[in-house]
Amino acid sequence: MTRLITKDISNIAANLKNYDSELVARTGCSLSGIACRAAEIDEAQIKNLLPEIRGGVIPISSGEGVIGGFAEAVLNILLHMGAKAFVTRTTDVAGIAESFEKKADIVMLADDERFVALHIRSRSIADNAVCTGKAFATGLSLMAGGLKGREVLVIGCGPVGRSAAKTLIRMGSRVSVSDIHIEPLMEWVETLGQATDQKIQIVKALDPALQQHQFIIDASPARDIIHAQHITPQTYVSAPGFPCGLDAEAQAKLSNRLLQDPLELGVATMLVSAAKYHIERQE
């Protein structure tokens, strides 16, 4: 979790209700609704279940990416979603032990490498990168009124971008991908194409690709790679990458056709994905 800094997440708790309203205005779905669609689970079922689920958020004190207020921000998202949740008083291994002692069904913890939700009884993992990619692809589809048969550009093919691309392929989109690391990208595209029987286009020149695509997922950590000249009245951008790759003028031009947040959609999707394991375990 090294790309976020404290100021990126400091207003999450205070803005959750407003953000939910913005999501409904832009996508037709709330935070819960998008997360449930991304996790492919019925929202009504999850809403009934979440008050029964106990979630523990464990602060991690080691590593180069420690973010002040991170555990509290995650906690507030879980509470907003309707789960019973707490932040452990202790950190690291002691925090894991504390979450077990407090009978947590789901524990969330992050270090420099991964941010995960662990569903204890099923031994299942909901990974933030995977869940974030699914959520932002789902949000883009909702904003655009569906992406089946439409061309979508995914910028940045790390774990989040790859998850988004896979989600788009399942939706029936025609996917193009761009990344500064060409050789690993080519290997991944070849493997994915063999697994899905889909042709994925590799974009080597980003500027013309941005001009040609109306639907964009920016999963890159690069700043200011999308400019106002790339934005038309038909452009929709879903941006899980942080910091935002759109410059200020591009963001203003997009207005309510931009979907971006530092944690909310990913954490909400982690929670409902872990809750899905809870349901499957009960069945």
Side-chain angles (χ1 to χ4, degrees):
M1 302 300 297
T2 55
R3 284 182 286 168
L4 295 177
I5 58 177
T6 299
K7 74 174 184 178
D8 294 330
I9 62 174
S10 59
N11 293 323
I12 284 178
N15 290 335
L16 275 167
K17 288 185 179 179
N18 287 337
Y19 184 54
D20 236 341
S21 297
E22 289 178 11
L23 287 175
V24 172
R26 297 181 188 198
T27 69
C29 285
S30 65
L31 181 63
S32 173
I34 296 173
C36 288
R37 285 174 181 252
E40 301 180 62
I41 191 165
D42 180 73
E43 186 179 6
Q45 191 177 20
I46 286 294
K47 283 189 172 181
N48 290 332
L49 177 65
L50 284 180
E52 302 174 8
I53 289 181
R54 192 160 174 78
V57 184
I58 304 168
I60 301 298
S61 64
S62 61
E64 298 178 1
V66 177
I67 306 164
F70 179 81
E72 290 72 19
V74 172
L75 172 67
N76 279 286
I77 297 167
L78 302 186
L79 294 174
H80 178 78
M81 291 284 290
K84 293 189 297 185
F86 60 91
V87 174
T88 57
R89 290 178 289 103
T90 52
T91 65
D92 308 311
V93 173
I96 295 171
E98 182 183 337
S99 69
F100 273 68
E101 289 164 354
K102 290 182 175 178
K103 311 296 184 185
D105 301 296
I106 297 166
V107 297
M108 288 193 177
L109 63 169
D111 64 10
D112 290 350
E113 300 299 325
R114 295 182 75 178
F115 175 22
V116 295
L118 308 176
H119 184 257
I120 302 302
R121 281 181 284 175
S122 69
R123 300 180 184 175
S124 300
I125 299 173
D127 187 280
N128 177 261
V130 174
C131 291
T132 299
K134 289 180 179 179
F136 276 86
T138 300
L140 180 64
S141 179
L142 289 166
M143 279 200 301
L147 292 173
K148 185 176 182 180
R150 289 172 149 178
E151 295 182 358
V152 185
L153 173 64
V154 178
I155 306 169
C157 285
V160 174
R162 292 183 182 193
S163 173
K166 291 176 182 178
T167 303
L168 293 166
I169 289 170
R170 289 195 296 271
M171 291 177 180
S173 305
R174 290 179 287 168
V175 177
S176 296
V177 294
S178 173
D179 196 281
I180 60 172
H181 304 291
I182 294 296
E183 290 188 11
L185 178 63
M186 292 176 65
E187 293 176 4
W188 177 73
V189 164
E190 182 179 359
T191 301
L192 182 61
Q194 292 172 351
T196 61
D197 197 28
Q198 296 290 325
K199 184 177 181 180
I200 301 125
Q201 182 71 35
I202 295 177
V203 169
K204 295 184 179 179
L206 184 57
D207 187 76
L210 287 167
Q211 301 278 6
Q212 295 162 9
H213 285 83
Q214 296 179 359
F215 308 107
I216 300 164
I217 291 184
D218 173 25
S220 165
R223 292 181 184 271
D224 299 340
I225 56 174
I226 303 174
H227 307 287
Q229 67 263 27
H230 300 131
I231 307 301
T232 74
Q234 291 76 42
T235 304
Y236 291 82
V237 178
S238 188
F242 229 83
C244 187
L246 293 94
D247 65 21
E249 191 177 351
Q251 291 185 49
K253 196 171 179 181
L254 266 174
S255 184
N256 62 356
R257 290 174 285 117
L258 169 64
L259 189 63
Q260 197 220 11
D261 70 49
L263 277 179
E264 293 93 319
L265 280 167
V267 170
T269 305
M270 292 169 73
L271 174 63
V272 299
S273 296
K276 182 177 179 180
Y277 298 136
H278 197 84
I279 293 169
E280 292 170 351
R281 184 72 175 178
Q282 288 178 333
E283 293 174 349

